[in-house]
Amino acid sequence: MADFLPVFFVFAMGLSLLVYVVLDGFDLGIGMLLPLADEGDKNVMIASIGPFWDANETWIVMGVGVLLIAFPHAHGIVMTALYIPVTVMLFGLTLRGVAFDFRVKAGDDRRRLWNNAFFGGSLVASMAQGWMLGAYITGLDRSPTSYAFAVLIAVTLPALYVMLGGAWLMIKTEGELFERAVRWTRNALLPMGVGLLLVSIATPLVSERIAERWFTLPNAIGLMPIPVACAAAYLVIAWLLRRPDVLRGGYGHFVFYALVLICLMAALGLAYSIFPDIVLGRMTLFEAAAATSSLEFIFWGVAIILPLIGFYSAYVYRVFSGKATELSYD
Amino acid sequence: MDFDPVVLARIQFAANISFHILFPTITIGLAWILFFFRLRYTRTADEAWEYAYNFWVKIFALTFALGVVSGITMSFQFGTNWPGFMERVGNIAGPLLGYEVLTAFFLEASFLGIMLFGKQRVSNRVHLLASFLVAFGTSLSAFWILALNSWMQTPAGFVLEDGQFFAQSWSQIIFNPSFPYRLLHMLLASVLTSAFLIAGVSAWRTRRGVDGPATAKVMRVGVILAAVCIPLQVLVGDLHGLNTLEHQPQKIAAMEAIWETGEGAPFTIIGLPDEETRTTRLALEVPYAASLILTHELRGEVRGLDSFETHPPVLPLFLFFRVMLVTAGLMLLVSWCGAFNYWRGREPGPRLLAALSFMTFSGWVATLSGWYVTEIGRQPWIVQGLVGTAEVAADHPSATIAGTLFGYIGLYIFLLYSYVHALRYLSTKPARSLAMLPQRRSRDAQGLS
């Protein structure tokens, strides 16, 4: 149990953060696309995420929560080192979160202000998350190269979120807004692709340890499915986005699935690069883990309740399935 | 400027947690009130209950959103401001916070979508269930967080090895000595806060002539709920005080500014405690009263601040405790006058309406001052008697904390202003927009409106 539990919890943490990136990723992406739409479309776009965003955002609390619960020694180090980007992200998430309600409840004269807050909050939160991820991959290093690497991810992650947001709109909307979503997604494709490629090249350059792991035989061969799957997913997206007729024919959601595949592969690659460390080069997950008695107490909760959460989340998505038109309290 | 980073970290955390608590305090109570409105409508088919629900669910959604975003900030500030806390107490605090996320956060956040926007998409029964689960989730969340908070005040069920806490009995950790009192006290505070909010806003709308079809009914619910809960709250508060006297006597001594141990201690109604001279200036005292209240004997011995090695700062505890008591007194007066009025079969007159709208946010005042008493009353410890607050603070430069602190305070003032403004806006407008409901449904996408 003593060896199994830390691994179980690092898996739970990784899974929660991956789910967060996909689910709140499309929320934040739609937030960043907001200024491109007219007022009517803005309402539909926000309606397409309105019933879900709150639960989606809870996944980051879960991810950071697991870090705090299972790896309290690492939690302090990580959170202290990321003090500034975490604060910036929290400002962004706060503005984005309250803008959902304020833009329709504070009066028409303030609607523009809250639309801007929605956009600005989404953008700032996305970039800050990229910065945090970058700083984490470099082992919370403070050299100029590491900062440059963090900046690179800080501009790549928003592009990925915009793609997710556009793909979500292809699932949830129709008519002119659908066409616009296809265009927006197509425009974000190249920046995302270049960004991901640069990140993949830069990661082994900033970390010798990661380079060692990836570029020694026979590991390199076993790892080939990861880049190959990413490239294939990218090509599928590129092909689909040039065929609006295929997308309209009901294949729009494949863009979303292909993006999820890219996120999953990136997460697997990252996990392989870092395991068994929790703070790269400084602390392993076994060193950081909480006492076994505490992990056992929470293990049963996670093992029983997490599937239940997955079950009722799926139910909520089913209740609100189909094209989004309007949100009404009635 | 040369500020102590620990003080700055405390101010920052206090600013955030004070801002946060304003919103759950409303939503915990309001969620149950909304569930009650839905139940009444289902039972009686009286449209007024549905109007009441439709109006208040909008305010609930806004309040909930503010609670969520400020709550997320808090979950991060545990680590950014108090990294040492999780390193030493993580084995205890971690699982309690974990169960809050697992059992409560996901539940309320997921079913909130159905509660707010799903009425046309699910059956009435499922919608009732969703409303119930949201209310249940908010209360469950209070259960877990108060278990942790109470444990920090009255730690139990652990063993200490090399400065690290290890869990020994989870039932003793959760049901630690002060937990039942604190949980009841907080849940009643939430019900009272939301009761005065709905009564106050309804009174305000009636005075302005912008009341809707159910305003009078909602005001009645608020007033009667408050009138029933306030005596219960006084009773629970008294029991909580006696529990504190047993487990944290230095907190009581500071609350009452009792400087020296002695028999037949007087109760100081008001004054200005001064820690330098260890006296209370301009004190207005009632002889023997403190002994009578605390020991239920005229000449009972009461421990003073001189008998403790460390004790919390006296002035804030003394004053905030009195602010809470005065607010509670006003709540009792106004709600009982209102209930008496209803009992005589009359609707509230202009003076009562004015009093009720004046009391709209009284729950916030009482809740915040109560929390200041209990939290400042734990200082200089973060876990009473075992871990000092200064020991676990992060070593950020003062300038960094001060900079983000200004940012947070600016943001919170702006959000609080926007919240109250939106409450006013919604209270004025929907009376008209509700009447036009059927036409609006047919119109094109209206977003969340």
Side-chain angles (χ1 to χ4, degrees), chain B residues 170-212:
Chain B
W170 283 104
S171 62
Q172 279 181 37
I173 289 171
I174 295 170
F175 297 98
N176 62 77
S178 64
F179 174 64
Y181 303 99
R182 201 181 312 274
L183 178 66
L184 265 183
H185 203 40
M186 183 62 208
L187 290 180
L188 280 169
S190 296
V191 173
L192 283 165
T193 303
S194 46
F196 275 98
L197 179 76
I198 64 170
V201 168
S202 302
W204 186 85
R205 294 178 70 192
T206 310
R207 290 175 77 204
R208 285 283 181 111
V210 291
D211 48 329

mmCIF file of all heavy atoms in Angstrom, chain B residues 170-212:
data_model
loop_
_atom_site.group_PDB
_atom_site.id
_atom_site.type_symbol
_atom_site.label_atom_id
_atom_site.label_comp_id
_atom_site.label_asym_id
_atom_site.label_seq_id
_atom_site.Cartn_x
_atom_site.Cartn_y
_atom_site.Cartn_z
ATOM 1 N N TRP B 170 -9.992 9.299 12.954
ATOM 2 C CA TRP B 170 -10.658 10.278 12.097
ATOM 3 C C TRP B 170 -11.960 10.771 12.697
ATOM 4 O O TRP B 170 -12.354 11.909 12.494
ATOM 5 C CB TRP B 170 -10.878 9.703 10.694
ATOM 6 C CG TRP B 170 -9.599 9.711 9.917
ATOM 7 C CD1 TRP B 170 -8.790 8.663 9.644
ATOM 8 C CD2 TRP B 170 -8.941 10.868 9.370
ATOM 9 N NE1 TRP B 170 -7.666 9.078 8.970
ATOM 10 C CE2 TRP B 170 -7.741 10.425 8.783
ATOM 11 C CE3 TRP B 170 -9.241 12.230 9.341
ATOM 12 C CZ2 TRP B 170 -6.840 11.295 8.150
ATOM 13 C CZ3 TRP B 170 -8.351 13.095 8.710
ATOM 14 C CH2 TRP B 170 -7.171 12.626 8.127
ATOM 15 N N SER B 171 -12.653 9.914 13.463
ATOM 16 C CA SER B 171 -13.904 10.395 14.056
ATOM 17 C C SER B 171 -13.607 11.462 15.114
ATOM 18 O O SER B 171 -14.335 12.440 15.241
ATOM 19 C CB SER B 171 -14.702 9.235 14.648
ATOM 20 O OG SER B 171 -13.975 8.622 15.672
ATOM 21 N N GLN B 172 -12.484 11.296 15.861
ATOM 22 C CA GLN B 172 -12.128 12.338 16.839
ATOM 23 C C GLN B 172 -11.649 13.610 16.150
ATOM 24 O O GLN B 172 -11.844 14.714 16.653
ATOM 25 C CB GLN B 172 -11.034 11.832 17.767
ATOM 26 C CG GLN B 172 -11.550 10.966 18.897
ATOM 27 C CD GLN B 172 -10.418 10.509 19.784
ATOM 28 O OE1 GLN B 172 -9.470 11.252 20.040
ATOM 29 N NE2 GLN B 172 -10.507 9.278 20.251
ATOM 30 N N ILE B 173 -10.995 13.442 14.983
ATOM 31 C CA ILE B 173 -10.514 14.616 14.255
ATOM 32 C C ILE B 173 -11.712 15.417 13.735
ATOM 33 O O ILE B 173 -11.796 16.631 13.912
ATOM 34 C CB ILE B 173 -9.596 14.193 13.087
ATOM 35 C CG1 ILE B 173 -8.265 13.679 13.630
ATOM 36 C CG2 ILE B 173 -9.372 15.366 12.131
ATOM 37 C CD1 ILE B 173 -7.378 13.032 12.588
ATOM 38 N N ILE B 174 -12.659 14.712 13.102
ATOM 39 C CA ILE B 174 -13.809 15.420 12.520
ATOM 40 C C ILE B 174 -14.717 15.958 13.620
ATOM 41 O O ILE B 174 -15.067 17.132 13.634
ATOM 42 C CB ILE B 174 -14.586 14.480 11.569
ATOM 43 C CG1 ILE B 174 -13.701 14.107 10.374
ATOM 44 C CG2 ILE B 174 -15.875 15.143 11.093
ATOM 45 C CD1 ILE B 174 -14.265 13.013 9.503
ATOM 46 N N PHE B 175 -15.086 15.074 14.560
ATOM 47 C CA PHE B 175 -15.999 15.517 15.622
ATOM 48 C C PHE B 175 -15.190 15.965 16.839
ATOM 49 O O PHE B 175 -15.377 15.474 17.947
ATOM 50 C CB PHE B 175 -16.989 14.405 15.960
ATOM 51 C CG PHE B 175 -17.863 14.057 14.785
ATOM 52 C CD1 PHE B 175 -17.567 12.976 13.967
ATOM 53 C CD2 PHE B 175 -18.952 14.859 14.463
ATOM 54 C CE1 PHE B 175 -18.352 12.677 12.865
ATOM 55 C CE2 PHE B 175 -19.740 14.576 13.361
ATOM 56 C CZ PHE B 175 -19.448 13.483 12.560
ATOM 57 N N ASN B 176 -14.283 16.917 16.586
ATOM 58 C CA ASN B 176 -13.476 17.455 17.674
ATOM 59 C C ASN B 176 -14.355 18.321 18.577
ATOM 60 O O ASN B 176 -15.474 18.675 18.201
ATOM 61 C CB ASN B 176 -12.277 18.219 17.092
ATOM 62 C CG ASN B 176 -12.721 19.391 16.249
ATOM 63 O OD1 ASN B 176 -13.109 20.428 16.760
ATOM 64 N ND2 ASN B 176 -12.698 19.214 14.922
ATOM 65 N N PRO B 177 -13.859 18.676 19.796
ATOM 66 C CA PRO B 177 -14.752 19.265 20.803
ATOM 67 C C PRO B 177 -15.570 20.478 20.361
ATOM 68 O O PRO B 177 -16.713 20.629 20.770
ATOM 69 C CB PRO B 177 -13.778 19.651 21.930
ATOM 70 C CG PRO B 177 -12.637 18.717 21.783
ATOM 71 C CD PRO B 177 -12.512 18.427 20.317
ATOM 72 N N SER B 178 -14.998 21.385 19.530
ATOM 73 C CA SER B 178 -15.763 22.598 19.228
ATOM 74 C C SER B 178 -16.595 22.457 17.958
ATOM 75 O O SER B 178 -17.374 23.355 17.624
ATOM 76 C CB SER B 178 -14.817 23.800 19.102
ATOM 77 O OG SER B 178 -13.934 23.638 18.016
ATOM 78 N N PHE B 179 -16.443 21.333 17.232
ATOM 79 C CA PHE B 179 -17.072 21.206 15.918
ATOM 80 C C PHE B 179 -18.599 21.293 15.913
ATOM 81 O O PHE B 179 -19.176 22.091 15.161
ATOM 82 C CB PHE B 179 -16.595 19.912 15.234
ATOM 83 C CG PHE B 179 -17.307 19.617 13.940
ATOM 84 C CD1 PHE B 179 -17.173 20.469 12.856
ATOM 85 C CD2 PHE B 179 -18.123 18.496 13.807
ATOM 86 C CE1 PHE B 179 -17.830 20.208 11.660
ATOM 87 C CE2 PHE B 179 -18.773 18.230 12.620
ATOM 88 C CZ PHE B 179 -18.630 19.086 11.545
ATOM 89 N N PRO B 180 -19.314 20.533 16.767
ATOM 90 C CA PRO B 180 -20.784 20.577 16.681
ATOM 91 C C PRO B 180 -21.323 21.988 16.901
ATOM 92 O O PRO B 180 -22.234 22.426 16.194
ATOM 93 C CB PRO B 180 -21.242 19.643 17.800
ATOM 94 C CG PRO B 180 -20.059 18.829 18.170
ATOM 95 C CD PRO B 180 -18.846 19.589 17.792
ATOM 96 N N TYR B 181 -20.728 22.711 17.880
ATOM 97 C CA TYR B 181 -21.208 24.056 18.188
ATOM 98 C C TYR B 181 -20.940 25.002 17.034
ATOM 99 O O TYR B 181 -21.795 25.785 16.625
ATOM 100 C CB TYR B 181 -20.521 24.579 19.458
ATOM 101 C CG TYR B 181 -20.739 23.665 20.630
ATOM 102 C CD1 TYR B 181 -19.771 22.749 21.019
ATOM 103 C CD2 TYR B 181 -21.941 23.704 21.333
ATOM 104 C CE1 TYR B 181 -19.986 21.892 22.089
ATOM 105 C CE2 TYR B 181 -22.170 22.852 22.399
ATOM 106 C CZ TYR B 181 -21.186 21.946 22.767
ATOM 107 O OH TYR B 181 -21.410 21.097 23.827
ATOM 108 N N ARG B 182 -19.693 24.920 16.479
ATOM 109 C CA ARG B 182 -19.321 25.837 15.412
ATOM 110 C C ARG B 182 -20.167 25.579 14.169
ATOM 111 O O ARG B 182 -20.626 26.514 13.511
ATOM 112 C CB ARG B 182 -17.833 25.695 15.086
ATOM 113 C CG ARG B 182 -17.236 26.895 14.386
ATOM 114 C CD ARG B 182 -15.771 26.661 14.079
ATOM 115 N NE ARG B 182 -15.066 26.150 15.235
ATOM 116 C CZ ARG B 182 -14.537 26.919 16.169
ATOM 117 N NH1 ARG B 182 -14.589 28.220 16.046
ATOM 118 N NH2 ARG B 182 -13.934 26.381 17.204
ATOM 119 N N LEU B 183 -20.390 24.298 13.857
ATOM 120 C CA LEU B 183 -21.172 23.972 12.659
ATOM 121 C C LEU B 183 -22.599 24.512 12.781
ATOM 122 O O LEU B 183 -23.106 25.181 11.887
ATOM 123 C CB LEU B 183 -21.201 22.450 12.439
ATOM 124 C CG LEU B 183 -22.024 21.982 11.238
ATOM 125 C CD1 LEU B 183 -21.404 22.446 9.927
ATOM 126 C CD2 LEU B 183 -22.163 20.462 11.219
ATOM 127 N N LEU B 184 -23.232 24.243 13.922
ATOM 128 C CA LEU B 184 -24.607 24.726 14.128
ATOM 129 C C LEU B 184 -24.658 26.250 14.087
ATOM 130 O O LEU B 184 -25.552 26.838 13.483
ATOM 131 C CB LEU B 184 -25.124 24.243 15.487
ATOM 132 C CG LEU B 184 -25.934 22.960 15.489
ATOM 133 C CD1 LEU B 184 -26.434 22.686 16.902
ATOM 134 C CD2 LEU B 184 -27.130 23.084 14.543
ATOM 135 N N HIS B 185 -23.681 26.870 14.747
ATOM 136 C CA HIS B 185 -23.624 28.328 14.822
ATOM 137 C C HIS B 185 -23.521 28.922 13.420
ATOM 138 O O HIS B 185 -24.193 29.892 13.074
ATOM 139 C CB HIS B 185 -22.402 28.726 15.662
ATOM 140 C CG HIS B 185 -22.501 30.085 16.284
ATOM 141 N ND1 HIS B 185 -23.652 30.582 16.821
ATOM 142 C CD2 HIS B 185 -21.559 31.072 16.447
ATOM 143 C CE1 HIS B 185 -23.421 31.812 17.303
ATOM 144 N NE2 HIS B 185 -22.165 32.124 17.077
ATOM 145 N N MET B 186 -22.680 28.312 12.572
ATOM 146 C CA MET B 186 -22.466 28.825 11.216
ATOM 147 C C MET B 186 -23.682 28.558 10.343
ATOM 148 O O MET B 186 -24.093 29.422 9.559
ATOM 149 C CB MET B 186 -21.209 28.173 10.615
ATOM 150 C CG MET B 186 -20.858 28.703 9.236
ATOM 151 S SD MET B 186 -20.497 30.483 9.276
ATOM 152 C CE MET B 186 -20.965 30.926 7.617
ATOM 153 N N LEU B 187 -24.282 27.353 10.443
ATOM 154 C CA LEU B 187 -25.449 27.055 9.609
ATOM 155 C C LEU B 187 -26.601 28.003 9.960
ATOM 156 O O LEU B 187 -27.273 28.537 9.079
ATOM 157 C CB LEU B 187 -25.876 25.595 9.764
ATOM 158 C CG LEU B 187 -24.921 24.562 9.158
ATOM 159 C CD1 LEU B 187 -25.447 23.142 9.372
ATOM 160 C CD2 LEU B 187 -24.687 24.801 7.672
ATOM 161 N N LEU B 188 -26.798 28.242 11.272
ATOM 162 C CA LEU B 188 -27.854 29.179 11.674
ATOM 163 C C LEU B 188 -27.525 30.590 11.196
ATOM 164 O O LEU B 188 -28.404 31.339 10.775
ATOM 165 C CB LEU B 188 -28.027 29.159 13.196
ATOM 166 C CG LEU B 188 -28.852 27.982 13.735
ATOM 167 C CD1 LEU B 188 -28.733 27.897 15.249
ATOM 168 C CD2 LEU B 188 -30.321 28.125 13.340
ATOM 169 N N ALA B 189 -26.229 30.949 11.233
ATOM 170 C CA ALA B 189 -25.820 32.271 10.744
ATOM 171 C C ALA B 189 -26.182 32.419 9.266
ATOM 172 O O ALA B 189 -26.635 33.479 8.825
ATOM 173 C CB ALA B 189 -24.322 32.477 10.947
ATOM 174 N N SER B 190 -25.996 31.349 8.506
ATOM 175 C CA SER B 190 -26.322 31.395 7.076
ATOM 176 C C SER B 190 -27.818 31.559 6.861
ATOM 177 O O SER B 190 -28.252 32.351 6.022
ATOM 178 C CB SER B 190 -25.876 30.117 6.382
ATOM 179 O OG SER B 190 -24.496 30.012 6.434
ATOM 180 N N VAL B 191 -28.604 30.799 7.633
ATOM 181 C CA VAL B 191 -30.056 30.910 7.485
ATOM 182 C C VAL B 191 -30.498 32.329 7.836
ATOM 183 O O VAL B 191 -31.293 32.946 7.132
ATOM 184 C CB VAL B 191 -30.763 29.864 8.362
ATOM 185 C CG1 VAL B 191 -32.263 30.086 8.340
ATOM 186 C CG2 VAL B 191 -30.436 28.458 7.892
ATOM 187 N N LEU B 192 -29.936 32.878 8.934
ATOM 188 C CA LEU B 192 -30.312 34.232 9.343
ATOM 189 C C LEU B 192 -29.888 35.261 8.294
ATOM 190 O O LEU B 192 -30.639 36.177 7.964
ATOM 191 C CB LEU B 192 -29.670 34.568 10.695
ATOM 192 C CG LEU B 192 -30.370 33.929 11.898
ATOM 193 C CD1 LEU B 192 -29.492 33.999 13.131
ATOM 194 C CD2 LEU B 192 -31.700 34.644 12.154
ATOM 195 N N THR B 193 -28.668 35.101 7.751
ATOM 196 C CA THR B 193 -28.189 36.052 6.752
ATOM 197 C C THR B 193 -29.100 36.057 5.537
ATOM 198 O O THR B 193 -29.499 37.122 5.046
ATOM 199 C CB THR B 193 -26.749 35.692 6.320
ATOM 200 O OG1 THR B 193 -25.916 35.673 7.478
ATOM 201 C CG2 THR B 193 -26.208 36.705 5.333
ATOM 202 N N SER B 194 -29.467 34.857 5.058
ATOM 203 C CA SER B 194 -30.310 34.828 3.865
ATOM 204 C C SER B 194 -31.739 35.259 4.200
ATOM 205 O O SER B 194 -32.399 35.893 3.375
ATOM 206 C CB SER B 194 -30.277 33.446 3.210
ATOM 207 O OG SER B 194 -30.424 32.441 4.168
ATOM 208 N N ALA B 195 -32.207 34.962 5.417
ATOM 209 C CA ALA B 195 -33.557 35.393 5.802
ATOM 210 C C ALA B 195 -33.641 36.918 5.807
ATOM 211 O O ALA B 195 -34.594 37.504 5.272
ATOM 212 C CB ALA B 195 -33.926 34.831 7.172
ATOM 213 N N PHE B 196 -32.642 37.580 6.413
ATOM 214 C CA PHE B 196 -32.667 39.049 6.427
ATOM 215 C C PHE B 196 -32.444 39.611 5.028
ATOM 216 O O PHE B 196 -32.974 40.672 4.688
ATOM 217 C CB PHE B 196 -31.640 39.605 7.418
ATOM 218 C CG PHE B 196 -32.179 39.680 8.811
ATOM 219 C CD1 PHE B 196 -31.893 38.686 9.730
ATOM 220 C CD2 PHE B 196 -33.021 40.716 9.183
ATOM 221 C CE1 PHE B 196 -32.424 38.729 11.014
ATOM 222 C CE2 PHE B 196 -33.559 40.774 10.459
ATOM 223 C CZ PHE B 196 -33.261 39.773 11.380
ATOM 224 N N LEU B 197 -31.666 38.907 4.192
ATOM 225 C CA LEU B 197 -31.469 39.383 2.815
ATOM 226 C C LEU B 197 -32.792 39.376 2.055
ATOM 227 O O LEU B 197 -33.170 40.381 1.436
ATOM 228 C CB LEU B 197 -30.444 38.512 2.099
ATOM 229 C CG LEU B 197 -30.175 38.918 0.646
ATOM 230 C CD1 LEU B 197 -29.291 40.160 0.583
ATOM 231 C CD2 LEU B 197 -29.531 37.787 -0.148
ATOM 232 N N ILE B 198 -33.519 38.246 2.107
ATOM 233 C CA ILE B 198 -34.756 38.191 1.309
ATOM 234 C C ILE B 198 -35.819 39.131 1.900
ATOM 235 O O ILE B 198 -36.546 39.796 1.158
ATOM 236 C CB ILE B 198 -35.309 36.756 1.130
ATOM 237 C CG1 ILE B 198 -35.725 36.131 2.455
ATOM 238 C CG2 ILE B 198 -34.317 35.860 0.414
ATOM 239 C CD1 ILE B 198 -36.494 34.811 2.267
ATOM 240 N N ALA B 199 -35.861 39.226 3.233
ATOM 241 C CA ALA B 199 -36.838 40.146 3.842
ATOM 242 C C ALA B 199 -36.456 41.593 3.522
ATOM 243 O O ALA B 199 -37.316 42.413 3.177
ATOM 244 C CB ALA B 199 -36.895 39.923 5.352
ATOM 245 N N GLY B 200 -35.154 41.888 3.601
ATOM 246 C CA GLY B 200 -34.694 43.260 3.384
ATOM 247 C C GLY B 200 -34.911 43.722 1.953
ATOM 248 O O GLY B 200 -35.408 44.822 1.706
ATOM 249 N N VAL B 201 -34.533 42.881 0.994
ATOM 250 C CA VAL B 201 -34.713 43.250 -0.413
ATOM 251 C C VAL B 201 -36.207 43.392 -0.722
ATOM 252 O O VAL B 201 -36.630 44.328 -1.410
ATOM 253 C CB VAL B 201 -34.042 42.213 -1.351
ATOM 254 C CG1 VAL B 201 -34.459 42.420 -2.799
ATOM 255 C CG2 VAL B 201 -32.529 42.297 -1.226
ATOM 256 N N SER B 202 -37.024 42.485 -0.163
ATOM 257 C CA SER B 202 -38.470 42.578 -0.391
ATOM 258 C C SER B 202 -39.023 43.877 0.188
ATOM 259 O O SER B 202 -39.851 44.548 -0.446
ATOM 260 C CB SER B 202 -39.186 41.390 0.244
ATOM 261 O OG SER B 202 -38.691 40.183 -0.281
ATOM 262 N N ALA B 203 -38.555 44.242 1.383
ATOM 263 C CA ALA B 203 -39.022 45.489 2.003
ATOM 264 C C ALA B 203 -38.592 46.691 1.158
ATOM 265 O O ALA B 203 -39.368 47.624 0.930
ATOM 266 C CB ALA B 203 -38.460 45.600 3.418
ATOM 267 N N TRP B 204 -37.371 46.650 0.677
ATOM 268 C CA TRP B 204 -36.840 47.732 -0.162
ATOM 269 C C TRP B 204 -37.685 47.878 -1.422
ATOM 270 O O TRP B 204 -38.059 48.973 -1.828
ATOM 271 C CB TRP B 204 -35.387 47.419 -0.524
ATOM 272 C CG TRP B 204 -34.679 48.510 -1.272
ATOM 273 C CD1 TRP B 204 -34.053 49.591 -0.730
ATOM 274 C CD2 TRP B 204 -34.512 48.613 -2.693
ATOM 275 N NE1 TRP B 204 -33.509 50.360 -1.718
ATOM 276 C CE2 TRP B 204 -33.780 49.790 -2.935
ATOM 277 C CE3 TRP B 204 -34.908 47.830 -3.787
ATOM 278 C CZ2 TRP B 204 -33.426 50.203 -4.219
ATOM 279 C CZ3 TRP B 204 -34.578 48.240 -5.059
ATOM 280 C CH2 TRP B 204 -33.832 49.406 -5.282
ATOM 281 N N ARG B 205 -38.038 46.754 -2.037
ATOM 282 C CA ARG B 205 -38.831 46.797 -3.267
ATOM 283 C C ARG B 205 -40.238 47.322 -2.984
ATOM 284 O O ARG B 205 -40.801 48.063 -3.785
ATOM 285 C CB ARG B 205 -38.904 45.401 -3.885
ATOM 286 C CG ARG B 205 -37.569 44.900 -4.381
ATOM 287 C CD ARG B 205 -37.673 43.498 -4.939
ATOM 288 N NE ARG B 205 -38.415 43.485 -6.188
ATOM 289 C CZ ARG B 205 -38.855 42.382 -6.780
ATOM 290 N NH1 ARG B 205 -38.638 41.210 -6.211
ATOM 291 N NH2 ARG B 205 -39.515 42.438 -7.904
ATOM 292 N N THR B 206 -40.797 46.936 -1.832
ATOM 293 C CA THR B 206 -42.136 47.400 -1.492
ATOM 294 C C THR B 206 -42.136 48.920 -1.288
ATOM 295 O O THR B 206 -43.019 49.627 -1.773
ATOM 296 C CB THR B 206 -42.617 46.706 -0.203
ATOM 297 O OG1 THR B 206 -42.402 45.298 -0.349
ATOM 298 C CG2 THR B 206 -44.080 46.974 0.060
ATOM 299 N N ARG B 207 -41.103 49.406 -0.591
ATOM 300 C CA ARG B 207 -41.022 50.852 -0.346
ATOM 301 C C ARG B 207 -40.860 51.615 -1.643
ATOM 302 O O ARG B 207 -41.397 52.701 -1.819
ATOM 303 C CB ARG B 207 -39.839 51.162 0.568
ATOM 304 C CG ARG B 207 -40.037 50.703 1.983
ATOM 305 C CD ARG B 207 -38.788 50.930 2.790
ATOM 306 N NE ARG B 207 -38.639 52.321 3.150
ATOM 307 C CZ ARG B 207 -37.469 52.895 3.448
ATOM 308 N NH1 ARG B 207 -36.371 52.179 3.390
ATOM 309 N NH2 ARG B 207 -37.414 54.156 3.787
ATOM 310 N N ARG B 208 -40.081 51.072 -2.566
ATOM 311 C CA ARG B 208 -39.843 51.745 -3.841
ATOM 312 C C ARG B 208 -41.001 51.593 -4.822
ATOM 313 O O ARG B 208 -40.982 52.184 -5.896
ATOM 314 C CB ARG B 208 -38.581 51.159 -4.506
ATOM 315 C CG ARG B 208 -37.296 51.594 -3.883
ATOM 316 C CD ARG B 208 -36.975 53.000 -4.327
ATOM 317 N NE ARG B 208 -35.726 53.443 -3.751
ATOM 318 C CZ ARG B 208 -34.621 53.646 -4.467
ATOM 319 N NH1 ARG B 208 -34.625 53.427 -5.759
ATOM 320 N NH2 ARG B 208 -33.533 54.069 -3.877
ATOM 321 N N GLY B 209 -41.932 50.728 -4.495
ATOM 322 C CA GLY B 209 -43.031 50.487 -5.421
ATOM 323 C C GLY B 209 -42.623 49.642 -6.619
ATOM 324 O O GLY B 209 -43.241 49.720 -7.679
ATOM 325 N N VAL B 210 -41.558 48.845 -6.486
ATOM 326 C CA VAL B 210 -41.139 47.993 -7.603
ATOM 327 C C VAL B 210 -41.316 46.518 -7.225
ATOM 328 O O VAL B 210 -40.620 45.654 -7.726
ATOM 329 C CB VAL B 210 -39.672 48.251 -8.016
ATOM 330 C CG1 VAL B 210 -39.536 49.605 -8.654
ATOM 331 C CG2 VAL B 210 -38.736 48.123 -6.807
ATOM 332 N N ASP B 211 -42.268 46.257 -6.331
ATOM 333 C CA ASP B 211 -42.435 44.877 -5.872
ATOM 334 C C ASP B 211 -43.108 44.016 -6.943
ATOM 335 O O ASP B 211 -43.879 44.512 -7.762
ATOM 336 C CB ASP B 211 -43.241 44.844 -4.573
ATOM 337 C CG ASP B 211 -44.493 45.687 -4.654
ATOM 338 O OD1 ASP B 211 -44.477 46.706 -5.383
ATOM 339 O OD2 ASP B 211 -45.490 45.329 -4.017
ATOM 340 N N GLY B 212 -42.793 42.744 -6.920
ATOM 341 C CA GLY B 212 -43.360 41.803 -7.877
ATOM 342 C C GLY B 212 -44.528 41.059 -7.262
ATOM 343 O O GLY B 212 -44.941 41.358 -6.135
#
